[in-house]
């Protein structure tokens, strides 16, 4: 008969077991806390990593371009921007007395300080392929004037389409910005440039050539409640067959056609002596014509810090009427040649995709302890608004201009111009001091200076 043994835990064994169980439970609890803590830290690192990746894909919301005090606001995804633009031009002018207008009315001398332009606007991109521009002029002499209000689609590889109120390209100097001029005013060829209008334009651009074609409409209601409308068609082609670090050759041609309705068939050509302060010293007077055609050729050559350019433009009219009498067709022309030499060695900047020049940027700006950039310039400007076969005696003038430019900063410059002008007339006019004296010519001098801040 087998004996049954009964297992009985001793007090010592029970104590040891209880102790081991307590240690085991404590260790398990400690490991679980550490695991939870590690998981929380991993989650936090993952969130920070995601935020860092997102931040790397985003642009700064506000950016400043080099040398430009205007901030550029950028959307979170970098696809849309908005930037403030503007230019302020303060002029001093001292001019002799002139006979002006088609009636050769006497105008006294001028000695004044005034704002030539005060413009502010915004421009930028949205959806990365649409560019917009809105600009206003506050010159203080008239109501606030809209200069640009348009959008430009740039989604094509080599083309741009602009729609809205805009300036249509015609000629070299007139196509560029007024803030990028070698002299205070554009030459007399600007008389033939089209006014801004509502319409559309197409620009095809290559590396060193471009072609533009546009159509616009100007319309307003006159004092007789008639709708004065003028249709404008323009085109311009430029090419730079030579464009390297030492030499640049620019060639171009422009054409412009305007057609007026019966309420807006009034046309007039007139020009000032390379200043805005005086009135026009040659003037065809008003005449009626259904259409006009303008043509122009342009050329420029640059060798490092020396730039010479010139333009010739001609205007032809359809059959014109003066006070209801038919006078046949008329032709007028204007031309200039100018040279700029930068004494400090900088070069003018050329944009082959639009066929325009921009002024130099000083390599030693005064804010960096330098002396800025200095240049001298000279121009001969001619215009002939006579057509005796059509019965128009607008006059002929030649302006000789000498300029000195000081670029203090990228967006700040001072300019000085001396103008000597000579005008000849086929129809004489009375001297204001002695009516018995008939004058057929006049000349005079103009001194003018400008301080420009543009951004």
């Amino acid at each position: 008969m087998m004996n049954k043994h009964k297992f009985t835990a001793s007090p010592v064994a029970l104590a040891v077991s209880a102790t081991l169980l307590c240690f085991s439970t404590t260790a398990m609890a400690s490991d679980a806390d550490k695991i939870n803590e590690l998981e929380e830290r991993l989650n936090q690192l993952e969130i920070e990593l995601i935020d860092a990746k997102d931040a790397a894909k985003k642009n700064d919301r506000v950016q400043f371009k080099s040398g430009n005090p205007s901030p550029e606001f950028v959307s979170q995804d970098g696809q849309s921007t908005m930037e403030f633009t503007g230019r302020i031009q303060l002029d001093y002018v001292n001019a002799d007395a002139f006979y002006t207008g088609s009636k050769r009315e006497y105008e006294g001398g001028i000695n004044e300080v005034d704002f030539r332009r005060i413009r502010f606007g915004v421009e930028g991109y949205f959806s990365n392929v649409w560019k917009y521009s809105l600009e206003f002029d506050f010159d203080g002499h008239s109501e606030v004037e809209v200069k640009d209000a348009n959008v430009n689609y740039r989604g094509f590889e080599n083309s741009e389409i602009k729609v809205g109120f805009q300036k249509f390209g015609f000629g070299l100097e007139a196509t560029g910005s007024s803030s990028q001029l070698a002299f205070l005013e554009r030459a007399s060829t600007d008389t033939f440039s089209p006014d801004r209008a509502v319409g559309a334009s197409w620009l095809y651009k290559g590396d060193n050539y471009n072609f533009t074609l546009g159509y616009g409409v100007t319309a307003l209601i006159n004092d007789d409640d008639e709708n004065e409308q003028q249709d404008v068609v323009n085109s311009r082609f430029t090419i730079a067959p030579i464009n390297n670090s030492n030499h640049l050759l620019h060639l171009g041609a422009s054409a412009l056609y305007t057609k007026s309705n019966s309420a807006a068939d009034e046309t007039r050509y007139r020009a000032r002596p390379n200043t805005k302060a005086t009135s026009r010293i040659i003037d065809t007077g008003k005449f009626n014509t259904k259409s006009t055609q303008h043509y122009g050729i342009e050329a420029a050559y640059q060798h490092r810090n020396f730039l010479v350019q010139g333009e010739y433009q001609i205007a032809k009219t359809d059959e014109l009427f003066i006070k209801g009498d038919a006078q046949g067709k008329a032709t007028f022309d204007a031309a200039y040649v100018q040279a700029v030499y930068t004494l400090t060695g900088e070069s003018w900047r050329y944009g082959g995709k639009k066929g325009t020049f921009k002024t130099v940027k000083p390599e030693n700006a005064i804010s960096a302890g330098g002396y800025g950039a200095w240049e001298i310039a000279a121009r001969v400007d001619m215009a002939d608004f006579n057509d005796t076969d059509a019965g128009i005696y607008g006059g002929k003038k030649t302006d000789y201009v000498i300029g000195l430019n000081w670029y203090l900063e990228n967006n700040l410059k001072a300019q000085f111009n001396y103008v000597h002008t000579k005008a000849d007339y086929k129809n004489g006019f009375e001297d204001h001091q002695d009516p018995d004296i008939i004058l057929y010519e006049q000349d005079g001098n103009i001194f003018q200076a400008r301080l420009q801040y543009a951004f």
Side-chain angles (χ1 to χ4, degrees), residues 74 97 272 411:
V74 184
R272 294 182 172 93
N411 49 19

Side-chain angles (χ1 to χ4, degrees), residues 87-261:
R87 76 196 68 159
I88 302 174
Q89 298 173 340
L90 180 64
D91 288 6
Y92 164 74
V93 180
N94 183 288
D96 290 343
F98 290 101
Y99 290 90
T100 62
S102 59
K103 297 181 180 179
R104 309 288 175 258
E105 296 176 343
Y106 182 77
E107 181 182 81
I110 296 174
N111 186 24
E112 65 179 23
V113 176
D114 201 0
F115 286 102
R116 176 63 175 92
R117 292 181 180 91
I118 304 177
R119 293 186 183 177
F120 291 101
V122 293
E123 67 179 20
Y125 292 87
F126 57 90
S127 298
N128 210 30
V129 294
W130 290 92
K131 182 179 180 180
Y132 63 90
S133 178
L134 180 63
E135 186 179 57
F136 300 90
D137 190 279
F138 307 82
D139 65 358
H141 298 285
S142 58
E143 297 181 356
V144 176
E145 183 179 359
V146 178
K147 287 298 181 180
D148 287 299
N150 53 71
V151 292
N152 191 341
Y153 181 71
R154 296 186 168 189
F156 304 114
E157 182 177 359
N158 295 314
S159 297
E160 298 179 13
I161 297 178
K162 183 184 292 186
V163 180
F165 189 69
Q166 59 187 285
K167 179 172 70 171
F168 292 92
F170 182 81
L172 174 57
E173 195 179 44
T175 301
S177 170
S178 61
S179 64
Q180 305 292 328
L181 299 177
F183 299 89
L184 269 69
E185 301 297 335
R186 293 184 172 95
S188 299
T189 51
D190 188 54
T191 304
F192 302 138
S193 300
D195 292 331
R196 283 176 165 83
V198 176
S201 62
W202 168 59
L203 171 65
Y204 182 84
K205 50 190 179 181
D207 291 336
N208 286 297
Y209 67 94
N210 69 85
F211 174 76
T212 184
L213 180 66
Y215 168 75
V217 177
T218 61
L220 57 87
I221 304 300
N222 61 22
D223 296 336
D224 297 325
D225 292 330
E226 296 176 318
N227 182 22
E228 296 183 355
Q229 178 177 324
Q230 188 175 71
D231 297 276
V232 179
V233 179
N234 82 291
S235 64
R236 180 173 181 251
F237 172 76
T238 74
I239 186 171
I242 302 174
N243 188 1
N244 55 53
S245 58
N246 292 321
H247 300 278
L248 167 70
L249 177 63
H250 164 96
L251 303 172
S254 300
L256 174 71
Y257 173 79
T258 64
K259 183 179 180 181
S260 304
N261 66 2

Side-chain angles (χ1 to χ4, degrees), residues 264-285:
D265 54 4
E266 191 174 85
T267 303
R268 187 178 195 176
Y269 295 100
R270 48 188 180 168
R272 294 182 172 93
N274 269 248
T275 184
K276 183 65 166 59
T278 69
S279 297
R280 284 85 167 180
I281 61 173
I282 58 174
D283 190 340
T284 63

